[in-house]
Amino acid sequence: MSQSAEGVQIAKAGPRHGLVAADGRWITMGLGVATLLTLGLPLIVTALWSLMNPASGWFAPDILPPSLARAHWREALSDRTIPGAFLTSLLIGVCVTVLTAVLALPPAYALAKLPFRAKRAVELFVLAPLIVPGIIVAVGIGSLFFRLGLVYTIPGVILVQTIGTLPFMIRILAATIEGVPDDILHAARSLGAGPLQVARHILVPVAGPGFLAGGLLTFISSFEEFEKTFIIGAPFVQTLPVILWTYLGGRVIVFPTAAVVTFLLLAPMLLIFFLAERVLRDDVLAAGMGKV
Amino acid sequence: MAELSLTSIRKTFGDATAVETLDLSIANGEFLTLLGPSGCGKTTILRMIAGIAMPDAGEIRIGGRRVDGLPPEGRNVGLVFQSYALFPHMTVAANVGFGLKMRKVPRREAEDRIAAALDLVDLGRFAARYPRELSGGQQQRVALARALVTEPDLLLLDEPLSNLDAKLRDQLREDLRRLQERLRVTTLYVTHDQSEAMALSDRILVMRAGRIVEEGAPEALYRRPRTRFAAEFLGQTNVVRLIRRDGMAMLPWGEAMPDAQSDSAYVSIRPEDIALRPDPHGPGRITACTFLGPTVEYRVELAERSLRVRQTGSGTVLLTEGTGVALSLLVTPHPLAEGMA
Amino acid sequence: MTRLSVPMTAAILLLPGAGYLALLFGLPLVLAVLASFGVLTRGYDGGPTLAFYAELFGTRAYVDGLVFSTYLALVPTAVSLMISVPLAVLLAQSFPGRRLFTALNKVPLVVPGIVAAFIVMTLFDRGGTAARVLAPLGLDLPKLVRDDWAIGAVMATVWKTVPFMTLIVGGAMASINRDVVLAARTLGAGPVATFWQIQIPLALPGITAATLLSFIGGMGAFAVPNLLGPVYPLPLSVHMYVNAFERANWGLVAAMGTTLSAISCVVLLAYYRVTRGLRAAGGAR
Ligand SMILES: Nc1ncnc2c1ncn2[C@@H]1O[C@H](COP(=O)(O)OP(=O)(O)O)[C@@H](O)[C@H]1O
Ligand SMILES: [Mg+2]
């Protein structure tokens, strides 16, 4: 609120006072062109590929395909693998989100509110999975999972993805909980609430935006995760990114089918994204990632 | 050092008017205070003078030079923010030296001036510290030194004492006054605290909802306010309606106004300007008595209203609740301009 | 109910998250480091050895792979930084449609890296859209996919990284107290001086954090360089994959993983050096 009010003031202040000596409309135009080129164009080209007519093809000099058809969509959706992969991705995403939230809340609270000596060390340790490339995590855990019979299984994929999502979630939650004043927690305790009741009735509702943002971010990163899933799960656990990989990484690159899978991957992401645009507030995200 | 004048300055935020068409001028070396309740537009005025907010209309001149088109760095004013706004990544010395660096003052000279400025606010020992290692009062003094070291034409202070505790506030208030008397820098001070305003200022402007309501030297404003708002804002008062009878103006307790040529209907009577005498048949009755140490405050019930009365001196006897009293004026009260709600 | 001491409570609360990471992340990592020195290595029982490191640093393809991994970490990070900081400043201005562009800027955050790779293929591969558009103008596009400089891989990575960096840098800039910035202006600093002397130093923790995370992502990049990068050299991550699942040379895989992690740690330490002063000054959030 105050920030937008500030914005009004800067707007009145005019070009002399902004760092960018440009009229607001020039910024809009520049960003508009840039967005069209980097976001609009790729989406249009991908859409055209997914709608390419296999009968007429789409070859070199043609900038636009000569004719369009739904053949690839129909084929992809009737073939069991792609809808199946979509459901697998969805299932894994939901499980990872729940598991991550349950595991992250208690340590986030401890990091945010309790004074203890090894805090900095614990913080660092919790962040460590971000510092180590995912492929190393996956290969390292591979032999352990092999012995436990978890490779090539959905639970194995859920467990390995959670390693990557836990650090962000703990950070975002800790940052949000830190913002809840101690006094209201103490007030609830003095009014007779036990620790679990305080968590349920005060902490979770008050820190709600952080939970939502963290949860959505976790779901998104699970849905798009490739490397760890590929190493632990493929070829038996097929998520959408793994399928996309097989269409793109093989000897023959199947553009139209890949385009269909791309849209299946993007659709839920963009849907969540625009529904949750308010929830995925910049400050919450930056709090989770902006400090290592 | 220079005089400042604002002519027909106006500022709105969307539909809300923060500053209504306003004229203001400060003489060279004067200490002027803008006094008014929170939200009345004081900070907005300072920001427009400093160049970090733009007026919608009007003219600002410093030392005769028109500055309202200039960016802040072209105005040579020193502004002390209410939040101090110290640079957290710089030491105290670097904070104070920032303005000199921007003016490309040679290193040796800058060092001398930083040291002098820090001595001025008695912080010489803290030059190497970071702002977070200082107390609130010390941070405030760094902000002051930072604003003064560039020898600005004009010093602007936005409620600089409001974030400090009462004891420290009194001390810094005195320090500030002494400093200004010594440097004689033209100063515009903003506060909502009337005792600060009276203690510091050569002249006070009382503001309300974006307008200047009244102005004057502290003593005149306190003793002879023209408006009810100023009378009530500068300390406690009783605004009393005069009763006209037989061509005489009577006070609520039946005493005739000594100087009845005024045709105003209202007067402001300060609590300390009323004397009380125990009298079972008197028109008033004590309904509350609060002992504050140096003073005793009474609430006195009359037929139609109640009054505040303050007595000083250890010689007086405390009057208990229920005591009947007679009232009399110690000075001639000042009539208020009529029509003030 | 009896009251637990604070350290005890903290330990219990930390257990689920930290225990999970200790078991599934810490333990495998320790085992990998040990395995790289021949201790408890799968498919090897010759006792402690440096042979795996000797193999890694003695094989031309692997050394080139390590250099290439570093290249894939450095170049996209540098390019993204040069785009993101100005973009963050731009998005902080007031202009029509600011909210919309702020939202659109975040879209690539939710787009999988493989999709980014696919997009680069459709646009910039031989015979891709860009080439088709430029051909009638008589312009010939250089090889951008599977090329020696991995331009396609850099483009895809930058496309994914810029929004992430812009978000963090923008957040860091927005959290700077406005009065502090304005104070610099009243003290005689112009917009440019204010930017370099006040805004950049105060946003530095955010900028360096984004840089660090982007760099580490690049070190381990697997899918994007595999799809868009040159045939030689291959990044070390791809060598890791091949040696693990096609050659079962686990000691070498562990040595590669340990080396990549070590480089990330060195970068992390450098990061702490850079930001320590700022943390001390309270400039960091
Ligand atoms: N940036 C802004 N955007 C919108 N309204 C503002 C802004 N700054 C101040 N105002 C409004 O202008 C009025 C005056 O504010 P201000 O000058 O800060 O008052 P004071 O300093 O006297 O407390 C207030 O009503 C305030 O809400
Ligand atoms: Mg104010």
Side-chain angles (χ1 to χ4, degrees):
Chain A
M1 194 64 215
S2 71
Q3 204 175 346
S4 65
E6 205 70 65
V8 171
Q9 183 176 354
I10 301 299
K12 287 245 173 72
R16 277 183 311 258
H17 295 275
L19 182 63
V20 180
D23 191 317
R25 275 164 307 172
W26 285 103
I27 303 183
T28 310
M29 259 154 68
L31 285 176
V33 170
T35 309
L36 220 56
L37 282 176
T38 56
L39 215 58
L41 186 67
L43 278 178
I44 292 169
V45 172
T46 309
L48 290 176
W49 271 111
S50 77
L51 291 169
M52 185 197 94
N53 189 343
S56 59
W58 182 13
F59 298 107
D62 297 340
I63 291 171
L64 296 174
S67 69
L68 299 178
R70 274 171 302 173
H72 289 288
W73 278 93
R74 215 172 300 129
E75 190 188 322
L77 294 177
S78 59
D79 173 6
R80 290 268 301 283
T81 45
I82 291 174
F86 183 84
L87 290 179
T88 307
S89 284
L90 217 56
L91 172 73
I92 292 176
V94 170
C95 293
V96 168
T97 306
V98 172
L99 181 62
T100 306
V102 170
L103 289 174
L105 181 57
Y109 179 83
L111 287 175
K113 290 291 184 202
L114 297 180
F116 56 93
R117 247 182 304 147
K119 191 171 216 158
R120 190 77 191 114
V122 174
E123 261 174 16
L124 267 183
F125 176 68
V126 162
L127 283 172
L130 296 182
I131 310 305
V132 178
I135 183 145
I136 297 166
V137 175
V139 171
I141 212 169
S143 33
L144 187 70
F145 275 16
F146 191 77
R147 262 168 251 170
L148 298 172
L150 283 167
V151 277
Y152 313 135
T153 66
I154 288 182
V157 171
I158 292 171
L159 289 176
V160 76
Q161 283 193 356
T162 302
I163 299 171
T165 53
L166 209 44
F168 275 146
M169 189 68 150
I170 293 180
R171 270 223 61 86
I172 290 182
L173 290 189
T176 323
I177 293 172
E178 227 168 359
V180 179
D182 282 345
D183 283 351
I184 71 169
L185 302 179
H186 295 153
R189 288 302 288 272
S190 73
L191 291 169
L196 288 181
Q197 286 166 307
V198 170
R200 203 170 78 92
H201 295 293
I202 312 291
L203 204 54
V204 173
V206 175
F211 280 78
L212 261 174
L216 285 171
L217 208 63
T218 303
F219 182 81
I220 288 169
S221 49
S222 159
F223 208 81
E224 66 147 348
E225 208 284 326
F226 168 71
E227 275 142 31
K228 295 192 277 283
T229 312
F230 180 65
I231 286 171
I232 295 298
F236 296 101
V237 180
Q238 298 236 329
T239 60
L240 285 176
V242 172
I243 295 242
L244 189 57
W245 167 268
T246 57
Y247 287 123
L248 294 179
R251 300 252 139 63
V252 218
I253 298 180
V254 200
F255 266 20
T257 321
V260 172
V261 177
T262 294
F263 269 104
L264 286 178
L265 256 173
L266 277 186
M269 300 286 98
L270 294 181
L271 190 72
I272 292 182
F273 181 75
F274 281 104
L275 285 182
E277 208 271 315
R278 260 160 223 282
V279 174
L280 291 173
R281 287 205 326 251
D282 287 9
D283 54 335
V284 178
L285 297 184
M289 301 188 264
K291 197 173 129 192
V292 176
Chain B
M1 254 174 282
E3 70 276 5
L4 164 80
S5 75
L6 308 191
T7 319
S8 308
I9 286 292
R10 210 182 124 79
K11 174 77 178 174
T12 54
F13 293 104
D15 310 334
T17 304
V19 177
E20 200 64 78
T21 311
L22 176 140
D23 297 291
L24 178 165
S25 63
I26 312 181
N28 198 348
E30 190 181 15
F31 194 121
L32 180 78
T33 295
L34 286 178
L35 173 68
S38 171
C40 71
K42 309 180 296 289
T43 297
T44 306
I45 293 175
L46 282 199
R47 289 183 165 238
M48 288 191 288
I49 297 169
I52 56 186
M54 295 279 100
D56 299 339
E59 219 179 271
I60 303 174
R61 286 174 188 274
I62 299 173
R65 183 174 67 125
R66 186 154 177 194
V67 298
D68 44 281
L70 296 179
E73 64 269 24
R75 299 195 183 192
N76 199 30
V77 298
L79 171 59
V80 175
F81 290 74
Q82 189 170 3
S83 62
Y84 314 144
L86 298 180
F87 305 129
H89 60 306
M90 296 182 188
T91 60
V92 166
N95 262 282
V96 174
F98 184 82
L100 300 174
K101 193 163 123 191
M102 291 301 117
R103 287 167 173 75
K104 307 218 162 35
V105 173
R107 259 265 304 287
R108 294 303 300 269
E109 188 194 335
E111 279 168 11
D112 293 344
R113 283 170 70 177
I114 293 168
L118 286 176
D119 282 343
L120 198 65
V121 295
D122 205 13
L123 280 178
R125 286 165 301 137
F126 297 95
R129 296 239 190 136
Y130 282 94
R132 69 180 169 96
E133 298 167 329
L134 301 180
S135 72
Q138 290 167 335
Q139 290 184 21
Q140 197 276 333
R141 277 141 62 199
V142 176
L144 189 63
R146 186 177 72 174
L148 283 172
V149 73
T150 55
E151 292 170 4
D153 291 332
L154 179 66
L155 179 63
L156 306 173
L157 300 145
D158 191 357
E159 312 217 9
L161 307 182
S162 65
N163 291 333
L164 306 173
D165 59 60
K167 264 244 159 62
L168 200 57
R169 201 152 54 211
D170 288 351
Q171 199 210 316
L172 280 172
R173 193 175 72 191
E174 273 169 39
D175 292 350
L176 199 60
R177 176 80 233 195
R178 244 197 321 259
L179 201 64
Q180 202 270 345
E181 269 166 5
R182 201 166 117 205
L183 302 175
R184 272 288 145 203
V185 53
T186 312
T187 304
L188 179 56
Y189 187 96
V190 154
T191 183
H192 64 263
D193 182 308
Q194 39 99 10
S195 57
E196 248 171 53
M198 286 194 279
L200 287 167
S201 319
D202 296 324
R203 192 154 57 94
I204 299 174
L205 302 186
V206 179
M207 283 191 68
R208 177 196 196 184
R211 295 169 195 273
I212 293 172
V213 180
E214 194 170 345
E215 66 168 280
E219 191 210 333
L221 211 52
Y222 184 80
R223 298 209 164 142
R224 294 180 297 279
R226 277 187 309 102
T227 62
R228 179 171 184 164
F229 183 78
E232 289 180 339
F233 203 78
L234 272 90
Q236 293 170 338
T237 196
N238 299 291
V239 174
V240 160
R241 194 194 166 95
L242 297 176
I243 302 153
R244 305 238 159 227
R245 197 184 301 147
D246 313 330
M248 295 264 277
M250 313 286 281
L251 292 163
W253 57 88
E255 186 179 345
M257 266 280 282
D259 197 8
Q261 90 278 37
S262 157
D263 41 58
S264 168
Y266 291 93
V267 289
S268 154
I269 307 173
R270 298 278 176 205
E272 63 270 28
D273 293 341
I274 301 174
L276 294 180
R277 187 164 39 79
D279 177 354
H281 307 294
R285 201 166 48 81
I286 305 280
T287 53
C289 163
T290 314
F291 180 70
L292 294 171
T295 63
V296 187
E297 304 226 341
Y298 294 107
R299 205 148 247 301
V300 179
E301 191 85 18
L302 297 175
E304 275 162 10
R305 56 163 301 156
S306 70
L307 296 175
R308 267 175 204 282
V309 180
R310 183 179 302 143
Q311 298 213 307
T312 53
S314 306
T316 52
V317 183
L318 288 190
L319 301 170
T320 52
E321 283 172 34
T323 314
V325 285
L327 299 88
S328 58
L329 281 181
L330 293 172
V331 295
T332 308
H334 198 74
L336 295 174
E338 256 179 328
M340 289 301 295
Chain C
M1 206 177 79
T2 57
R3 257 200 121 102
L4 294 170
S5 69
V6 169
M8 198 60 200
T9 318
I12 291 173
L13 289 174
L14 288 172
L15 197 61
Y20 187 90
L21 291 178
L23 206 64
L24 295 187
F25 169 76
L27 181 66
L29 204 65
V30 171
L31 288 178
V33 173
L34 289 177
S36 74
F37 292 104
V39 180
L40 300 171
T41 313
R42 234 164 102 195
Y44 167 88
D45 42 19
T49 176
L50 287 174
F52 300 121
Y53 287 98
E55 188 181 353
L56 169 55
F57 290 103
T59 310
R60 184 69 196 277
Y62 299 155
V63 174
D64 286 350
L66 185 59
V67 172
F68 187 50
S69 284
T70 315
Y71 171 85
L72 286 177
L74 274 178
V75 174
T77 303
V79 175
S80 302
L81 203 57
M82 283 187 287
I83 299 174
S84 301
V85 175
L87 186 59
V89 172
L90 206 62
L91 285 174
Q93 308 297 309
S94 139
F95 57 90
R98 174 167 169 226
R99 264 187 66 96
L100 176 71
F101 283 111
T102 310
L104 286 176
N105 174 57
K106 285 187 279 185
V107 166
L109 281 180
V110 302
V111 176
I114 302 184
V115 170
F118 173 66
I119 288 170
V120 168
M121 275 187 203
T122 60
L123 292 180
F124 294 109
D125 206 350
R126 290 266 141 124
T129 305
R132 294 183 196 187
V133 170
L134 292 178
L137 308 175
L139 294 173
D140 197 14
L141 214 57
K143 195 174 183 204
L144 294 176
V145 171
R146 304 206 156 274
D147 62 306
D148 288 344
W149 291 98
I151 309 249
V154 170
M155 282 197 292
T157 313
V158 168
W159 190 78
K160 277 274 299 168
T161 309
V162 164
F164 163 76
M165 269 194 183
T166 309
L167 184 74
I168 295 182
V169 174
M173 295 228 173
S175 72
I176 300 173
N177 181 351
R178 268 212 85 81
D179 280 354
V180 168
V181 176
L182 294 174
R185 298 293 302 272
T186 68
L187 288 167
V192 176
T194 306
F195 179 71
W196 286 110
Q197 312 238 356
I198 309 294
Q199 287 171 288
I200 287 286
L202 289 178
L204 207 54
I207 295 173
T208 44
T211 307
L212 174 77
L213 290 175
S214 157
F215 181 90
I216 286 164
M219 277 315 287
F222 173 76
V224 169
N226 208 359
L227 293 174
L228 300 175
V231 183
Y232 186 94
L234 292 173
L236 210 55
S237 54
V238 174
H239 286 298
M240 261 183 88
Y241 178 77
V242 170
N243 275 295
F245 296 101
E246 288 168 21
R247 307 212 185 111
N249 189 351
W250 292 100
L252 181 62
V253 170
M256 288 172 173
T258 307
T259 306
L260 284 177
S261 307
I263 293 176
S264 292
C265 286
V266 169
V267 176
L268 182 70
L269 290 179
Y271 162 80
Y272 281 125
R273 276 209 82 94
V274 171
T275 53
R276 194 177 49 195
L278 290 161
R279 274 166 208 284
R285 262 172 312 136

Short mmCIF file of all heavy atoms in Angstrom, two decimals, chain C residues 34-52 55 248-252:
data_model
loop_
_atom_site.label_atom_id
_atom_site.label_comp_id
_atom_site.label_asym_id
_atom_site.label_seq_id
_atom_site.Cartn_x
_atom_site.Cartn_y
_atom_site.Cartn_z
N LEU C 34 33.94 -40.19 0.48
CA LEU C 34 34.76 -41.36 0.85
C LEU C 34 35.02 -42.23 -0.39
O LEU C 34 36.15 -42.64 -0.66
CB LEU C 34 34.06 -42.19 1.93
CG LEU C 34 34.00 -41.55 3.32
CD1 LEU C 34 33.22 -42.44 4.28
CD2 LEU C 34 35.41 -41.28 3.84
N ALA C 35 33.92 -42.46 -1.15
CA ALA C 35 34.05 -43.34 -2.32
C ALA C 35 35.06 -42.78 -3.32
O ALA C 35 35.77 -43.53 -3.99
CB ALA C 35 32.69 -43.52 -2.98
N SER C 36 35.14 -41.45 -3.40
CA SER C 36 36.07 -40.86 -4.36
C SER C 36 37.52 -41.17 -3.97
O SER C 36 38.42 -41.11 -4.81
CB SER C 36 35.85 -39.36 -4.46
OG SER C 36 36.36 -38.71 -3.31
N PHE C 37 37.75 -41.49 -2.70
CA PHE C 37 39.10 -41.87 -2.26
C PHE C 37 39.24 -43.39 -2.11
O PHE C 37 40.14 -43.87 -1.45
CB PHE C 37 39.44 -41.20 -0.93
CG PHE C 37 39.58 -39.72 -1.05
CD1 PHE C 37 38.59 -38.86 -0.60
CD2 PHE C 37 40.71 -39.16 -1.66
CE1 PHE C 37 38.72 -37.50 -0.74
CE2 PHE C 37 40.84 -37.79 -1.79
CZ PHE C 37 39.84 -36.95 -1.34
N GLY C 38 38.29 -44.11 -2.67
CA GLY C 38 38.41 -45.56 -2.66
C GLY C 38 37.93 -46.21 -1.38
O GLY C 38 38.20 -47.39 -1.16
N VAL C 39 37.25 -45.48 -0.51
CA VAL C 39 36.74 -46.06 0.72
C VAL C 39 35.28 -46.42 0.51
O VAL C 39 34.47 -45.54 0.18
CB VAL C 39 36.90 -45.07 1.89
CG1 VAL C 39 36.36 -45.70 3.19
CG2 VAL C 39 38.36 -44.67 2.06
N LEU C 40 34.94 -47.67 0.71
CA LEU C 40 33.56 -48.14 0.55
C LEU C 40 33.02 -47.87 -0.84
O LEU C 40 31.85 -47.55 -1.02
CB LEU C 40 32.64 -47.48 1.59
CG LEU C 40 32.95 -47.73 3.07
CD1 LEU C 40 32.09 -46.84 3.96
CD2 LEU C 40 32.75 -49.19 3.42
N THR C 41 33.88 -47.91 -1.82
CA THR C 41 33.45 -47.62 -3.18
C THR C 41 32.76 -48.84 -3.78
O THR C 41 33.25 -49.96 -3.66
CB THR C 41 34.66 -47.26 -4.07
OG1 THR C 41 35.45 -46.30 -3.36
CG2 THR C 41 34.22 -46.69 -5.40
N ARG C 42 31.60 -48.59 -4.43
CA ARG C 42 30.89 -49.68 -5.07
C ARG C 42 31.72 -50.22 -6.23
O ARG C 42 32.25 -49.45 -7.03
CB ARG C 42 29.56 -49.15 -5.62
CG ARG C 42 28.35 -49.94 -5.15
CD ARG C 42 27.11 -49.12 -5.41
NE ARG C 42 26.39 -49.57 -6.58
CZ ARG C 42 25.45 -48.85 -7.18
NH1 ARG C 42 25.16 -47.65 -6.75
NH2 ARG C 42 24.80 -49.35 -8.21
N GLY C 43 31.86 -51.50 -6.31
CA GLY C 43 32.57 -52.13 -7.43
C GLY C 43 34.08 -51.91 -7.37
O GLY C 43 34.77 -52.00 -8.37
N TYR C 44 34.62 -51.59 -6.19
CA TYR C 44 36.06 -51.41 -6.06
C TYR C 44 36.45 -51.83 -4.66
O TYR C 44 35.81 -51.39 -3.69
CB TYR C 44 36.44 -49.95 -6.32
CG TYR C 44 37.87 -49.59 -5.90
CD1 TYR C 44 38.93 -49.78 -6.79
CD2 TYR C 44 38.13 -49.09 -4.62
CE1 TYR C 44 40.22 -49.46 -6.40
CE2 TYR C 44 39.42 -48.77 -4.24
CZ TYR C 44 40.46 -48.97 -5.13
OH TYR C 44 41.75 -48.65 -4.76
N ASP C 45 37.49 -52.67 -4.50
CA ASP C 45 37.87 -53.01 -3.13
C ASP C 45 39.38 -53.03 -2.97
O ASP C 45 39.94 -53.88 -2.31
CB ASP C 45 37.23 -54.33 -2.68
CG ASP C 45 37.28 -55.38 -3.78
OD1 ASP C 45 38.11 -55.19 -4.71
OD2 ASP C 45 36.51 -56.36 -3.73
N GLY C 46 40.03 -52.06 -3.56
CA GLY C 46 41.49 -52.02 -3.49
C GLY C 46 42.06 -51.17 -2.37
O GLY C 46 43.26 -50.98 -2.31
N GLY C 47 41.22 -50.66 -1.47
CA GLY C 47 41.75 -49.82 -0.40
C GLY C 47 41.87 -48.37 -0.84
O GLY C 47 41.70 -48.04 -2.02
N PRO C 48 42.15 -47.48 0.14
CA PRO C 48 42.20 -46.04 -0.14
C PRO C 48 43.15 -45.71 -1.28
O PRO C 48 44.24 -46.29 -1.38
CB PRO C 48 42.71 -45.45 1.18
CG PRO C 48 42.34 -46.45 2.22
CD PRO C 48 42.38 -47.79 1.54
N THR C 49 42.74 -44.79 -2.13
CA THR C 49 43.53 -44.49 -3.32
C THR C 49 43.19 -43.11 -3.84
O THR C 49 42.13 -42.55 -3.55
CB THR C 49 43.24 -45.53 -4.42
OG1 THR C 49 43.95 -45.15 -5.60
CG2 THR C 49 41.74 -45.56 -4.76
N LEU C 50 44.12 -42.54 -4.61
CA LEU C 50 43.83 -41.29 -5.32
C LEU C 50 43.62 -41.56 -6.81
O LEU C 50 43.56 -40.64 -7.61
CB LEU C 50 44.98 -40.30 -5.12
CG LEU C 50 45.05 -39.67 -3.72
CD1 LEU C 50 46.31 -38.82 -3.59
CD2 LEU C 50 43.82 -38.83 -3.43
N ALA C 51 43.49 -42.84 -7.13
CA ALA C 51 43.45 -43.22 -8.55
C ALA C 51 42.30 -42.55 -9.30
O ALA C 51 42.44 -42.19 -10.46
CB ALA C 51 43.34 -44.74 -8.67
N PHE C 52 41.16 -42.38 -8.60
CA PHE C 52 40.01 -41.82 -9.30
C PHE C 52 40.25 -40.35 -9.67
O PHE C 52 39.87 -39.90 -10.74
CB PHE C 52 38.75 -41.97 -8.45
CG PHE C 52 38.43 -43.40 -8.14
CD1 PHE C 52 38.34 -43.85 -6.83
CD2 PHE C 52 38.25 -44.32 -9.18
CE1 PHE C 52 38.06 -45.17 -6.56
CE2 PHE C 52 37.97 -45.64 -8.91
CZ PHE C 52 37.87 -46.08 -7.59
N GLU C 55 42.56 -40.34 -12.53
CA GLU C 55 41.84 -40.61 -13.77
C GLU C 55 41.09 -39.35 -14.25
O GLU C 55 41.15 -38.98 -15.43
CB GLU C 55 40.84 -41.75 -13.56
CG GLU C 55 40.19 -42.22 -14.86
CD GLU C 55 39.19 -43.35 -14.64
OE1 GLU C 55 39.11 -43.86 -13.50
OE2 GLU C 55 38.49 -43.70 -15.61
N ALA C 248 29.34 -47.81 -14.85
CA ALA C 248 29.37 -48.22 -13.44
C ALA C 248 30.74 -47.98 -12.81
O ALA C 248 31.19 -48.74 -11.96
CB ALA C 248 28.95 -49.68 -13.28
N ASN C 249 31.40 -46.89 -13.23
CA ASN C 249 32.69 -46.53 -12.63
C ASN C 249 32.43 -45.58 -11.46
O ASN C 249 32.61 -44.38 -11.55
CB ASN C 249 33.57 -45.86 -13.70
CG ASN C 249 34.99 -45.65 -13.20
OD1 ASN C 249 35.28 -45.85 -12.02
ND2 ASN C 249 35.87 -45.27 -14.10
N TRP C 250 31.96 -46.14 -10.34
CA TRP C 250 31.44 -45.30 -9.25
C TRP C 250 32.50 -44.46 -8.57
O TRP C 250 32.22 -43.38 -8.09
CB TRP C 250 30.70 -46.18 -8.24
CG TRP C 250 29.44 -46.75 -8.83
CD1 TRP C 250 29.27 -48.00 -9.34
CD2 TRP C 250 28.22 -46.05 -9.04
NE1 TRP C 250 28.00 -48.15 -9.84
CE2 TRP C 250 27.33 -46.95 -9.67
CE3 TRP C 250 27.78 -44.76 -8.76
CZ2 TRP C 250 26.04 -46.62 -10.03
CZ3 TRP C 250 26.48 -44.42 -9.11
CH2 TRP C 250 25.62 -45.34 -9.73
N GLY C 251 33.70 -44.95 -8.50
CA GLY C 251 34.77 -44.17 -7.88
C GLY C 251 35.02 -42.89 -8.65
O GLY C 251 35.13 -41.80 -8.07
N LEU C 252 35.05 -42.98 -9.97
CA LEU C 252 35.26 -41.79 -10.80
C LEU C 252 34.08 -40.83 -10.66
O LEU C 252 34.25 -39.62 -10.54
CB LEU C 252 35.45 -42.21 -12.26
CG LEU C 252 35.70 -41.07 -13.23
CD1 LEU C 252 36.98 -40.33 -12.88
CD2 LEU C 252 35.77 -41.57 -14.67
#
